Amino acid sequence: RKEVEQDPGPFNVPEGATVAFNCTYSNSASQSFFWYRQDCRKEPKLLMSVYSSGNEDGRFTAQLNRASQYISLLIRDSKLSDSATYLCVVKQTNSGYALNFGKGTSLLVTP
Amino acid sequence: EAGVAQSPRYKIIEKRQSVAFWCNPISGHATLYWYQQILGQGPKLLIQFQNNGVVDDSQLPKDRFSAERLKGVDSTLKIQPAKLEDSAVYLCASSLPGQLGNIQYFGAGTRLSVL
């Protein structure tokens, strides 16, 4: 079983829509959680960290459920510029702090 | 602040040839990572350095891949000989060490095509 699993999509949504991505991880020793964004043919960039209490950054809300080993990302009022691949990322301290990436979920926001 | 620099941006080789990639991390970042990203997949860690020492190379195919970071700054990743399945983007990332390394900064990557 892959350590980090995501629905690859693609998710095609109209501008202004709300879209949610889900991710599950298999290692209960996981310590840190992130969402990275990757534009086509570009490098991944940190979108936001994910905290147990849930956290929000503008139109983006991330949530973590440690009991279910589940992470989510909610995007409200989608913009055309949100079109990208969203990578769910998990870090375990026993792996030297390297990141375990999911395959990514592709989002296309249409006019 | 300068980001992570990688070269070349693109490389096309034939199978069984050798290839090397170069990475210069962000100044002051002791931790350096090489990832392989195959089309349609997330990046997969190949090797992690802390200064000039290897922290994790468990997923590096050591029969053909090698990497070094001799002076604890720049790093090179080599493939010898290359196989068709090595076609991928090779991403270098750097971070501050330990818990401070929660944020990793990636270079633009080297896109390798093996024919």
Side-chain angles (χ1 to χ4, degrees):
Chain A
R1 179 184 170 190
K2 193 159 171 47
E3 288 196 40
V4 182
E5 299 210 41
Q6 295 180 250
D7 180 347
F11 284 62
N12 293 338
V13 303
E15 262 187 299
T18 296
V19 62
F21 305 138
N22 302 319
C23 168
T24 57
Y25 60 95
S26 59
N27 190 334
S28 58
S30 299
Q31 297 291 322
S32 305
F33 309 89
F34 312 91
W35 285 99
Y36 273 67
R37 170 189 169 135
Q38 187 170 26
D39 291 289
C40 187
R41 302 180 77 86
K42 300 285 189 180
E43 71 274 22
K45 291 183 179 178
L46 179 67
L47 177 66
M48 60 196 301
S49 300
V50 187
Y51 303 115
S52 297
S53 55
N55 49 298
E56 189 174 305
D57 182 3
R59 298 180 293 108
F60 298 82
T61 301
Q63 293 196 312
L64 166 66
N65 184 322
R66 285 187 183 270
S68 301
Q69 296 180 202
Y70 171 95
I71 306 159
S72 66
L73 177 67
L74 182 77
I75 305 175
R76 291 183 300 279
D77 188 23
S78 299
K79 311 290 185 190
L80 297 178
S81 56
D82 293 334
S83 297
T85 296
Y86 291 83
L87 297 160
C88 178
V89 185
V90 170
K91 177 190 282 190
Q92 286 107 240
T93 54
N94 61 356
S95 69
Y97 301 100
L99 303 177
N100 288 322
F101 287 82
K103 286 187 177 183
T105 299
S106 176
L107 172 66
L108 178 62
V109 181
T110 55
Chain B
E1 179 182 289
V4 176
Q6 288 189 247
S7 68
R9 287 298 311 276
Y10 305 93
K11 191 72 177 179
I12 301 174
I13 62 173
E14 294 186 348
K15 60 183 179 183
R16 291 188 289 273
Q17 285 188 319
S18 301
V19 65
F21 314 128
W22 174 83
C23 172
N24 182 242
I26 291 173
S27 178
H29 281 193
T31 310
L32 184 147
Y33 313 80
W34 282 102
Y35 290 87
Q36 178 194 59
Q37 186 172 23
I38 292 171
L39 188 65
Q41 307 280 325
K44 182 188 85 171
L45 179 72
L46 292 175
I47 189 167
Q48 177 187 347
F49 291 95
Q50 178 79 13
N51 297 307
N52 62 347
V54 175
V55 174
D56 183 357
D57 64 356
S58 57
Q59 297 192 85
L60 186 74
K62 298 180 185 65
D63 57 334
R64 298 185 301 106
F65 285 65
S66 64
E68 59 184 16
R69 194 184 184 200
L70 293 175
K71 295 183 179 179
V73 181
D74 293 10
S75 177
T76 55
L77 176 69
K78 296 179 181 177
I79 308 175
Q80 181 179 2
K83 293 186 175 181
L84 297 177
E85 59 261 35
D86 298 333
S87 295
V89 177
Y90 291 84
L91 294 161
C92 179
S94 71
S95 71
L96 293 169
Q99 289 286 3
L100 296 173
N102 273 345
I103 300 176
Q104 295 186 13
Y105 298 87
F106 285 81
T110 296
R111 188 172 298 272
L112 174 68
S113 296
V114 182
L115 307 178

